[in-house]
Coordinates of all heavy atoms in Angstrom, one line a residue:
M1 N 0.8 -1.2 0.0 CA 0.0 0.0 0.0 C 0.9 1.2 0.0 O 1.9 1.3 0.7 CB -0.9 0.0 1.2 CG -1.5 1.3 1.5 SD -2.6 1.3 3.0 CE -4.0 0.6 2.2
K2 N 0.5 2.2 -0.8 CA 1.2 3.5 -0.8 C 0.3 4.6 -0.3 O -0.8 4.8 -0.7 CB 1.7 3.8 -2.2 CG 2.5 5.1 -2.2 CD 3.2 5.3 -3.5 CE 4.0 6.6 -3.5 NZ 4.7 6.9 -4.7
I3 N 0.8 5.4 0.7 CA 0.1 6.4 1.3 C 0.9 7.7 1.2 O 2.1 7.8 1.4 CB -0.1 6.2 2.8 CG1 -0.9 4.8 3.0 CG2 -0.9 7.3 3.5 CD1 -1.0 4.4 4.5
L4 N 0.2 8.8 0.8 CA 0.8 10.1 0.7 C 0.4 10.9 1.9 O -0.8 11.1 2.2 CB 0.3 10.8 -0.6 CG 0.7 10.2 -1.9 CD1 0.1 11.0 -3.1 CD2 2.1 10.0 -2.1
A5 N 1.3 11.5 2.6 CA 1.1 12.5 3.6 C 1.3 13.8 3.0 O 2.4 14.2 2.6 CB 2.1 12.2 4.8
V6 N 0.2 14.6 3.0 CA 0.3 15.9 2.2 C 0.1 17.1 3.1 O -0.8 17.2 3.9 CB -0.9 15.9 1.1 CG1 -0.8 17.1 0.2 CG2 -0.8 14.6 0.2
C7 N 1.0 18.1 2.8 CA 0.8 19.4 3.4 C 1.1 20.5 2.3 O 1.4 20.1 1.2 CB 1.7 19.6 4.6 SG 3.5 19.8 4.3
G8 N 1.1 21.7 2.7 CA 1.3 22.8 1.8 C 2.6 22.8 1.0 O 2.6 23.0 -0.2
F9 N 3.7 22.6 1.7 CA 5.0 22.6 1.1 C 5.7 21.2 1.1 O 6.8 21.1 0.5 CB 5.9 23.6 1.8 CG 5.4 25.0 1.7 CD1 4.8 25.6 2.8 CD2 5.6 25.7 0.5 CE1 4.4 26.9 2.7 CE2 5.1 27.0 0.4 CZ 4.5 27.6 1.5
G10 N 5.1 20.2 1.7 CA 5.7 18.9 1.6 C 6.9 18.7 2.5 O 7.7 17.8 2.2
V11 N 7.1 19.5 3.5 CA 8.3 19.4 4.3 C 8.0 19.1 5.8 O 8.0 18.0 6.2 CB 9.2 20.7 4.2 CG1 10.5 20.5 5.0 CG2 9.5 21.0 2.7
G12 N 7.6 20.2 6.5 CA 7.5 20.0 8.0 C 6.3 19.2 8.4 O 6.4 18.1 9.0
T13 N 5.1 19.7 8.1 CA 3.9 19.1 8.7 C 3.7 17.7 8.1 O 3.3 16.7 8.7 CB 2.6 19.9 8.4 OG1 2.9 21.3 8.9 CG2 1.4 19.4 9.1
S14 N 3.9 17.5 6.8 CA 3.7 16.2 6.1 C 4.8 15.2 6.6 O 4.5 14.0 6.7 CB 3.8 16.3 4.6 OG 5.0 16.8 4.1
L15 N 6.0 15.7 7.0 CA 7.0 14.8 7.5 C 6.5 14.3 8.9 O 6.6 13.1 9.2 CB 8.3 15.5 7.7 CG 9.5 14.7 8.3 CD1 9.8 13.4 7.5 CD2 10.7 15.5 8.4
L16 N 6.0 15.1 9.7 CA 5.4 14.8 11.0 C 4.3 13.8 10.8 O 4.2 12.7 11.5 CB 4.9 16.0 11.8 CG 4.2 15.8 13.1 CD1 5.3 15.2 14.1 CD2 3.6 17.1 13.6
L17 N 3.4 14.0 9.9 CA 2.3 13.1 9.6 C 2.8 11.8 9.1 O 2.3 10.7 9.5 CB 1.3 13.7 8.6 CG 0.1 12.9 8.2 CD1 -0.7 12.4 9.4 CD2 -0.8 13.6 7.2
R18 N 3.8 11.8 8.2 CA 4.4 10.6 7.7 C 4.9 9.7 8.8 O 4.6 8.5 8.8 CB 5.5 10.9 6.7 CG 6.0 9.6 6.1 CD 7.3 9.8 5.2 NE 8.4 9.6 6.1 CZ 9.6 10.0 5.9 NH1 9.9 10.7 4.8 NH2 10.6 9.8 6.7
M19 N 5.6 10.3 9.7 CA 6.1 9.5 10.9 C 5.0 8.9 11.7 O 5.1 7.7 12.1 CB 7.1 10.3 11.7 CG 8.4 10.7 11.0 SD 9.6 11.6 12.0 CE 8.8 13.0 12.5
S20 N 3.9 9.6 11.9 CA 2.8 9.1 12.7 C 2.1 8.0 11.9 O 1.7 7.0 12.5 CB 1.8 10.2 13.0 OG 2.4 11.2 13.9
I21 N 2.0 8.1 10.6 CA 1.3 7.1 9.8 C 2.2 5.8 9.8 O 1.6 4.7 9.9 CB 1.1 7.6 8.3 CG1 0.1 8.7 8.2 CG2 0.7 6.4 7.4 CD1 0.1 9.5 6.9
E22 N 3.5 6.0 9.7 CA 4.4 4.8 9.7 C 4.3 4.1 11.0 O 4.2 2.9 11.1 CB 5.8 5.3 9.5 CG 6.1 5.7 8.0 CD 7.4 6.3 7.8 OE1 8.1 6.8 8.7 OE2 7.9 6.3 6.6
S23 N 4.2 4.8 12.1 CA 4.0 4.2 13.5 C 2.7 3.5 13.5 O 2.6 2.4 14.0 CB 4.1 5.3 14.6 OG 5.4 5.8 14.7
A24 N 1.6 4.1 13.1 CA 0.3 3.6 13.1 C 0.2 2.3 12.3 O -0.3 1.3 12.7 CB -0.8 4.6 12.6
C25 N 0.8 2.3 11.1 CA 0.8 1.1 10.2 C 1.6 0.0 10.9 O 1.2 -1.1 10.8 CB 1.4 1.5 8.9 SG 0.3 2.5 7.8
S26 N 2.7 0.3 11.5 CA 3.5 -0.7 12.1 C 2.7 -1.3 13.3 O 2.7 -2.6 13.4 CB 4.8 -0.1 12.7 OG 5.5 -1.0 13.4
Q27 N 2.0 -0.5 14.1 CA 1.2 -1.1 15.2 C 0.1 -1.9 14.7 O -0.4 -2.9 15.3 CB 0.7 0.1 16.0 CG 1.8 0.7 16.8 CD 1.2 1.9 17.7 OE1 0.1 2.0 17.9 NE2 2.2 2.8 18.1
L28 N -0.5 -1.6 13.5 CA -1.6 -2.3 12.9 C -1.2 -3.5 12.1 O -2.0 -4.3 11.6 CB -2.5 -1.4 12.1 CG -3.2 -0.3 12.8 CD1 -3.9 0.7 11.8 CD2 -4.3 -0.9 13.7
G29 N 0.1 -3.6 11.8 CA 0.6 -4.7 11.0 C 0.4 -4.5 9.5 O 0.2 -5.4 8.7
I30 N 0.3 -3.2 9.1 CA 0.0 -2.9 7.7 C 1.3 -2.5 7.0 O 2.1 -1.7 7.5 CB -0.9 -1.6 7.6 CG1 -2.3 -1.9 8.2 CG2 -1.1 -1.1 6.2 CD1 -3.2 -0.7 8.4
S31 N 1.6 -3.2 5.9 CA 2.8 -2.9 5.2 C 2.5 -1.7 4.2 O 1.6 -1.8 3.3 CB 3.2 -4.1 4.3 OG 4.3 -3.8 3.5
A32 N 3.2 -0.6 4.5 CA 2.9 0.6 3.7 C 4.1 1.4 3.4 O 5.0 1.5 4.2 CB 1.9 1.5 4.4
E33 N 4.2 1.9 2.2 CA 5.2 2.9 1.8 C 4.6 4.3 2.0 O 3.5 4.5 1.4 CB 5.6 2.7 0.4 CG 6.6 3.8 -0.1 CD 6.8 3.7 -1.7 OE1 6.4 2.7 -2.3 OE2 7.3 4.7 -2.2
V34 N 5.1 5.1 2.8 CA 4.5 6.4 3.1 C 5.5 7.5 2.6 O 6.7 7.5 2.9 CB 4.3 6.6 4.6 CG1 3.5 8.0 4.9 CG2 3.5 5.5 5.2
E35 N 4.9 8.4 1.8 CA 5.7 9.5 1.2 C 5.1 10.8 1.6 O 3.9 11.0 1.5 CB 5.7 9.3 -0.3 CG 6.6 10.4 -1.0 CD 6.6 10.2 -2.5 OE1 6.1 9.1 -3.0 OE2 7.0 11.1 -3.2
N36 N 5.9 11.8 2.1 CA 5.4 13.1 2.3 C 5.6 14.0 1.1 O 6.7 14.0 0.5 CB 6.0 13.7 3.6 CG 7.5 13.8 3.6 OD1 8.2 12.7 3.5 ND2 8.1 15.0 3.7
V37 N 4.6 14.7 0.7 CA 4.6 15.5 -0.5 C 3.8 16.8 -0.3 O 3.0 16.9 0.6 CB 4.0 14.8 -1.7 CG1 4.8 13.5 -2.0 CG2 2.5 14.4 -1.5
D38 N 4.1 17.8 -1.2 CA 3.3 19.0 -1.1 C 2.0 18.9 -2.0 O 1.9 18.0 -2.8 CB 4.2 20.2 -1.7 CG 4.5 20.0 -3.2 OD1 5.4 19.3 -3.5 OD2 3.8 20.6 -4.0
V39 N 1.1 19.8 -1.7 CA -0.2 19.7 -2.3 C -0.2 19.8 -3.8 O -1.0 19.1 -4.5 CB -1.2 20.7 -1.7 CG1 -0.8 22.1 -2.1 CG2 -2.6 20.4 -2.0
T40 N 0.7 20.5 -4.4 CA 0.7 20.7 -5.9 C 1.3 19.4 -6.6 O 1.0 19.2 -7.8 CB 1.5 21.9 -6.3 OG1 2.9 21.8 -5.8 CG2 0.9 23.2 -5.8
S41 N 2.0 18.6 -5.9 CA 2.6 17.4 -6.5 C 1.7 16.2 -6.6 O 1.9 15.2 -7.3 CB 3.9 17.0 -5.7 OG 4.8 18.0 -5.8
V42 N 0.6 16.2 -5.8 CA -0.3 15.1 -5.7 C -0.9 14.6 -7.0 O -0.9 13.5 -7.3 CB -1.4 15.4 -4.7 CG1 -2.5 14.3 -4.7 CG2 -0.9 15.6 -3.3
S43 N -1.2 15.6 -7.9 CA -1.9 15.2 -9.1 C -1.0 14.4 -10.0 O -1.5 13.6 -10.9 CB -2.3 16.5 -9.9 OG -1.2 17.3 -10.2
G44 N 0.4 14.5 -9.9 CA 1.3 13.7 -10.7 C 1.7 12.4 -10.1 O 2.5 11.7 -10.7
L45 N 1.1 12.0 -9.0 CA 1.6 10.8 -8.2 C 0.4 9.8 -8.2 O -0.7 10.1 -8.3 CB 2.0 11.2 -6.8 CG 3.1 12.2 -6.7 CD1 3.3 12.6 -5.2 CD2 4.4 11.6 -7.2
S46 N 0.8 8.5 -8.0 CA -0.2 7.5 -7.8 C 0.0 7.0 -6.4 O 1.1 6.9 -5.9 CB 0.0 6.4 -8.8 OG 1.2 5.7 -8.6
A47 N -1.1 6.6 -5.8 CA -1.1 6.1 -4.4 C -2.4 5.4 -4.1 O -3.4 5.6 -4.9 CB -0.9 7.2 -3.4
D48 N -2.5 4.7 -3.0 CA -3.7 4.0 -2.6 C -4.5 4.9 -1.7 O -5.7 4.8 -1.6 CB -3.4 2.7 -1.9 CG -2.6 1.8 -2.8 OD1 -3.2 1.4 -3.8 OD2 -1.5 1.4 -2.4
L49 N -3.9 5.9 -1.1 CA -4.5 6.7 0.0 C -3.8 8.0 0.2 O -2.6 8.0 0.1 CB -4.5 5.9 1.3 CG -5.4 6.3 2.4 CD1 -6.9 6.4 2.1 CD2 -5.2 5.3 3.6
I50 N -4.5 9.0 0.5 CA -3.9 10.3 0.9 C -4.4 10.6 2.3 O -5.6 10.4 2.6 CB -4.4 11.5 -0.1 CG1 -3.8 11.3 -1.5 CG2 -4.0 12.8 0.5 CD1 -4.4 12.2 -2.5
M51 N -3.5 11.1 3.1 CA -3.9 11.6 4.5 C -3.4 13.0 4.6 O -2.2 13.3 4.3 CB -3.3 10.6 5.5 CG -3.8 9.2 5.4 SD -3.2 8.1 6.7 CE -4.4 8.4 7.9
S52 N -4.2 13.9 5.1 CA -3.9 15.3 5.2 C -4.9 16.0 6.2 O -5.8 15.4 6.7 CB -4.0 15.9 3.8 OG -3.4 17.2 3.9
S53 N -4.7 17.3 6.3 CA -5.6 18.1 7.1 C -6.8 18.5 6.3 O -6.8 18.4 5.1 CB -4.9 19.4 7.6 OG -4.6 20.2 6.4
A54 N -7.8 19.0 7.0 CA -9.1 19.4 6.3 C -8.8 20.5 5.3 O -9.3 20.5 4.2 CB -10.1 19.8 7.3
E55 N -7.9 21.5 5.7 CA -7.6 22.6 4.8 C -7.0 22.1 3.5 O -7.3 22.5 2.4 CB -6.7 23.6 5.5 CG -7.3 24.2 6.7 CD -7.2 23.4 8.0 OE1 -6.4 22.4 8.1 OE2 -8.0 23.7 8.9
I56 N -6.0 21.2 3.6 CA -5.3 20.7 2.5 C -6.2 19.8 1.6 O -6.2 19.9 0.4 CB -4.0 20.0 2.8 CG1 -3.0 21.0 3.5 CG2 -3.3 19.4 1.6 CD1 -2.5 22.2 2.7
A57 N -7.0 19.0 2.3 CA -7.9 18.1 1.6 C -8.8 19.0 0.6 O -9.1 18.5 -0.5 CB -8.7 17.3 2.5
G58 N -9.2 20.1 1.1 CA -10.1 21.0 0.3 C -9.3 21.5 -0.9 O -10.0 21.9 -1.9
E59 N -8.0 21.6 -0.9 CA -7.2 22.1 -2.0 C -6.8 21.0 -3.0 O -6.3 21.4 -4.1 CB -5.9 22.8 -1.5 CG -6.2 24.0 -0.6 CD -4.9 24.6 -0.1 OE1 -3.8 24.5 -0.8 OE2 -4.9 25.2 1.0
L60 N -7.1 19.8 -2.7 CA -6.7 18.7 -3.6 C -7.5 18.6 -4.9 O -7.1 17.9 -5.9 CB -6.7 17.4 -2.9 CG -5.7 17.2 -1.8 CD1 -6.0 15.9 -1.0 CD2 -4.3 17.2 -2.4
G61 N -8.7 19.2 -5.0 CA -9.5 19.1 -6.2 C -10.0 17.7 -6.3 O -10.4 17.1 -5.4
S62 N -10.1 17.3 -7.6 CA -10.7 16.0 -7.9 C -9.7 14.9 -8.1 O -9.6 14.4 -9.2 CB -11.6 16.2 -9.1 OG -10.9 16.6 -10.2
V63 N -8.9 14.6 -7.1 CA -8.0 13.5 -7.3 C -8.8 12.2 -7.2 O -9.8 12.1 -6.5 CB -6.9 13.5 -6.2 CG1 -6.0 14.7 -6.4 CG2 -7.4 13.4 -4.8
N64 N -8.3 11.2 -7.9 CA -9.0 9.9 -7.8 C -8.4 8.9 -6.8 O -8.2 7.7 -7.1 CB -8.9 9.2 -9.3 CG -9.7 10.0 -10.2 OD1 -10.8 10.5 -9.9 ND2 -9.3 10.1 -11.5
I65 N -8.0 9.5 -5.7 CA -7.4 8.7 -4.6 C -8.2 9.0 -3.3 O -8.5 10.2 -3.1 CB -5.9 9.1 -4.4 CG1 -5.1 8.9 -5.6 CG2 -5.3 8.4 -3.2 CD1 -3.7 9.6 -5.6
P66 N -8.6 8.0 -2.6 CA -9.3 8.3 -1.3 C -8.5 9.2 -0.4 O -7.3 9.1 -0.3 CB -9.5 7.0 -0.7 CG -9.4 6.0 -1.8 CD -8.4 6.6 -2.8
V67 N -9.2 10.2 0.2 CA -8.5 11.2 1.1 C -9.1 11.0 2.5 O -10.3 11.0 2.7 CB -8.8 12.6 0.7 CG1 -8.1 13.6 1.6 CG2 -8.2 12.8 -0.7
I68 N -8.2 10.8 3.5 CA -8.6 10.8 4.9 C -8.1 12.0 5.6 O -6.9 12.4 5.5 CB -7.9 9.6 5.6 CG1 -8.4 8.2 5.0 CG2 -8.1 9.6 7.1 CD1 -7.7 7.0 5.6
V69 N -9.0 12.7 6.2 CA -8.7 14.0 6.9 C -8.3 13.6 8.3 O -9.0 12.9 9.1 CB -9.9 14.9 6.9 CG1 -9.6 16.1 7.8 CG2 -10.2 15.4 5.5
I70 N -7.1 14.1 8.7 CA -6.6 13.9 10.1 C -6.6 15.2 10.8 O -6.1 16.2 10.3 CB -5.1 13.3 10.0 CG1 -5.1 12.0 9.3 CG2 -4.6 13.2 11.4 CD1 -5.9 10.9 9.9
N71 N -7.2 15.2 12.0 CA -7.3 16.5 12.7 C -6.1 16.7 13.6 O -5.7 17.9 13.8 CB -8.6 16.4 13.6 CG -9.8 16.3 12.8 OD1 -10.0 17.1 11.9 ND2 -10.6 15.3 13.1
N72 N -5.5 15.7 14.2 CA -4.3 15.8 15.0 C -3.3 14.8 14.5 O -3.4 13.6 14.7 CB -4.7 15.5 16.5 CG -3.6 15.6 17.4 OD1 -2.4 15.7 17.0 ND2 -3.9 15.6 18.7
F73 N -2.2 15.4 13.9 CA -1.2 14.6 13.3 C -0.4 13.8 14.3 O 0.3 12.8 13.9 CB -0.3 15.4 12.5 CG -0.9 16.0 11.2 CD1 -2.2 15.8 10.8 CD2 -0.1 16.7 10.3 CE1 -2.7 16.3 9.7 CE2 -0.6 17.3 9.1 CZ -1.9 17.0 8.8
M74 N -0.5 14.1 15.6 CA 0.2 13.4 16.6 C -0.6 12.3 17.3 O -0.1 11.5 18.1 CB 0.8 14.3 17.7 CG 1.7 15.4 17.1 SD 3.3 14.7 16.6 CE 3.9 14.1 18.1
D75 N -1.9 12.2 16.9 CA -2.8 11.3 17.6 C -2.8 9.9 16.9 O -3.5 9.8 15.9 CB -4.2 11.9 17.6 CG -5.2 11.1 18.4 OD1 -4.9 9.9 18.7 OD2 -6.3 11.6 18.6
L76 N -2.0 9.0 17.3 CA -1.9 7.7 16.7 C -3.3 7.0 16.7 O -3.6 6.2 15.8 CB -0.8 6.8 17.3 CG 0.6 7.3 17.0 CD1 1.6 6.3 17.7 CD2 0.9 7.4 15.6
G77 N -4.0 7.2 17.8 CA -5.3 6.6 17.9 C -6.3 7.0 16.8 O -6.9 6.2 16.1
E78 N -6.3 8.3 16.5 CA -7.1 8.8 15.4 C -6.6 8.2 14.0 O -7.4 7.8 13.2 CB -7.0 10.3 15.3 CG -7.8 10.9 14.1 CD -7.6 12.4 13.9 OE1 -6.8 13.1 14.6 OE2 -8.3 12.9 13.0
I79 N -5.3 8.2 13.8 CA -4.8 7.7 12.6 C -5.1 6.3 12.4 O -5.5 5.8 11.3 CB -3.3 8.0 12.5 CG1 -3.1 9.6 12.4 CG2 -2.7 7.3 11.3 CD1 -1.6 10.0 12.6
K80 N -4.9 5.5 13.4 CA -5.2 4.0 13.3 C -6.6 3.8 13.1 O -7.0 3.0 12.3 CB -4.7 3.3 14.6 CG -3.2 3.2 14.8 CD -2.7 2.3 15.8 CE -3.3 2.5 17.2 NZ -2.7 1.7 18.3
D81 N -7.5 4.5 13.8 CA -8.9 4.3 13.6 C -9.4 4.6 12.2 O -10.1 3.9 11.6 CB -9.7 5.2 14.6 CG -11.2 5.0 14.6 OD1 -11.7 3.9 14.7 OD2 -11.9 6.1 14.4
K82 N -8.9 5.7 11.7 CA -9.3 6.1 10.3 C -8.7 5.2 9.3 O -9.4 4.9 8.3 CB -9.0 7.6 10.1 CG -9.9 8.5 10.9 CD -9.6 10.0 10.7 CE -10.6 10.8 11.5 NZ -10.5 12.2 11.2
L83 N -7.5 4.7 9.5 CA -6.9 3.7 8.5 C -7.7 2.5 8.6 O -8.1 1.9 7.5 CB -5.5 3.4 9.0 CG -4.4 4.3 8.4 CD1 -3.1 4.0 9.0 CD2 -4.3 4.1 6.9
Q84 N -8.1 2.0 9.7 CA -8.8 0.7 9.8 C -10.2 0.9 9.2 O -10.7 0.0 8.5 CB -9.0 0.3 11.3 CG -7.7 -0.2 11.9 CD -7.9 -0.6 13.4 OE1 -8.4 0.2 14.1 NE2 -7.5 -1.8 13.7
K85 N -10.9 2.0 9.4 CA -12.2 2.2 8.8 C -12.0 2.3 7.3 O -12.9 1.7 6.5 CB -12.8 3.5 9.3 CG -13.3 3.4 10.7 CD -13.9 4.7 11.1 CE -14.4 4.6 12.6 NZ -14.9 5.8 13.1
Q86 N -11.0 2.9 6.7 CA -10.8 3.0 5.3 C -10.6 1.6 4.7 O -11.1 1.3 3.7 CB -9.7 4.0 5.0 CG -9.4 4.1 3.5 CD -10.5 4.7 2.7 OE1 -11.2 5.7 3.2 NE2 -10.7 4.3 1.5
L87 N -9.7 0.9 5.4 CA -9.4 -0.5 4.8 C -10.5 -1.4 4.9 O -10.7 -2.3 4.1 CB -8.2 -1.0 5.6 CG -6.9 -0.2 5.4 CD1 -5.7 -0.8 6.2 CD2 -6.4 -0.2 3.9
S88 N -11.4 -1.3 5.9 CA -12.5 -2.2 6.0 C -13.6 -1.8 5.0 O -14.5 -2.6 4.6 CB -13.1 -2.1 7.4 OG -13.7 -0.9 7.7
N89 N -13.6 -0.6 4.5 CA -14.5 -0.2 3.4 C -14.1 -0.7 2.0 O -14.9 -0.6 1.1 CB -14.7 1.4 3.4 CG -15.4 1.9 4.6 OD1 -16.2 1.1 5.2 ND2 -15.2 3.1 4.9
N90 N -12.9 -1.1 1.9 CA -12.4 -1.5 0.6 C -12.5 -3.0 0.4 O -12.6 -3.9 1.0 CB -10.9 -1.2 0.4 CG -10.7 0.3 0.2 OD1 -11.7 1.0 -0.1 ND2 -9.5 0.8 0.5

């Protein structure tokens, strides 16, 4: 599975989110490649899932990749819960 952690510039916030996603995936036993990217690069990339803030999710336009909105990038419980819900829907 490939997951994109997206923020405005693809550096600080998305790196923090990437590390949290990697921890959550490890705890859940999910094998995932997680990449942190900026919002403008998303349209040229392929992935199974995007995780980002509500503000950035609104800027993504019509990407054909499911988007999960994360409210607290440090909350592993929120990230794990939302990942499990998304995976159970597929």
Side-chain angles (χ1 to χ4, degrees):
M1 164 179 280
K2 183 169 182 181
I3 302 172
L4 300 178
V6 183
C7 76
F9 295 106
V11 183
T13 309
S14 61
L15 177 60
L16 178 66
L17 178 58
R18 184 188 92 198
M19 292 187 299
S20 293
I21 294 168
E22 288 171 339
S23 292
C25 286
S26 176
Q27 290 178 18
L28 292 170
I30 297 170
S31 176
E33 173 190 348
V34 185
E35 182 179 348
N36 55 301
V37 298
D38 66 279
V39 69
T40 58
S41 298
V42 171
S43 62
L45 299 173
S46 64
D48 300 299
L49 192 58
I50 293 172
M51 299 182 88
S52 190
S53 67
E55 296 82 16
I56 297 298
E59 295 180 30
L60 290 173
S62 59
V63 295
N64 291 324
I65 303 169
V67 177
I68 295 177
V69 172
I70 301 298
N71 298 308
N72 181 347
F73 289 4
M74 299 294 293
D75 185 348
L76 290 181
E78 176 188 4
I79 294 169
K80 290 191 307 188
D81 182 53
K82 290 184 175 180
L83 270 172
Q84 287 177 312
K85 285 180 183 174
Q86 179 65 38
L87 294 175
S88 68
N89 289 335
N90 290 339

